[in-house]
Amino acid sequence: MTTDVLDTPVDGGFRLELPPALVSLSISRSAVRRVVAFRDSDAESSFLVALTEIVANAVDEHTRLGIDRAVVLEMRFGSDELLRVIDVGEGFSADRRSVRSDAPEPAVDPAERGRGLALARALVPGIAIETSDTGTVVTLPFAGFGIVR
């Protein structure tokens, strides 16, 4: 992830700044439902569960670290029909749960963490994750799920 990802204009889409709070889960689902025509109810459920898990992870990361900055939901239309969730937390590492050794411990047992990401990947196989010390960008493609209206 580049540090200027939030400064890059969105051509053929929009960007929502969501509060680092649980209300962002329903806001993100509502935004997607407003603009995507899903191919069927199973596709809609799968995509929205994956989205919920990704946004919940971002909100949890901001809350755990005391980051009072928005979690960003970005939708792109046209040739790149996709959704991105952007946070400015520590970033994610498969072999470590935290980038900083002084980060607060999660409220959830570390053995319980990471299941939402595994579930999201199973439901939306094309998920891409870019991470760095400045945060994480998770990209969920709409291909195979529906079309942006």
Side-chain angles (χ1 to χ4, degrees), residues 97 108-115:
R97 292 296 181 220
V108 177
D109 178 358
E112 299 291 321
R113 291 179 54 87
R115 291 184 180 173

Side-chain angles (χ1 to χ4, degrees), residues 24-95:
S24 293
L25 280 68
S26 78
I27 294 169
S28 62
R29 288 190 300 256
S30 294
V32 169
R33 282 188 179 121
R34 290 278 186 196
V35 297
V36 177
F38 287 97
R39 83 167 180 255
D40 58 33
S41 61
D42 286 342
E44 180 177 12
S45 293
S46 293
F47 193 90
L48 293 177
V49 167
L51 172 64
T52 299
E53 292 297 335
I54 299 303
V55 173
N57 286 349
V59 167
D60 180 57
E61 182 73 356
H62 282 216
T63 302
R64 184 174 70 84
L65 296 173
I67 298 170
D68 193 26
R69 289 186 54 196
V71 171
V72 176
L73 182 76
E74 180 181 281
M75 293 185 69
R76 295 183 182 236
F77 317 141
S79 61
D80 291 333
E81 290 192 336
L82 56 86
L83 179 140
R84 297 186 339 157
V85 177
I86 305 164
D87 77 65
V88 293
E90 302 183 314
F92 175 84
S93 173
D95 58 334

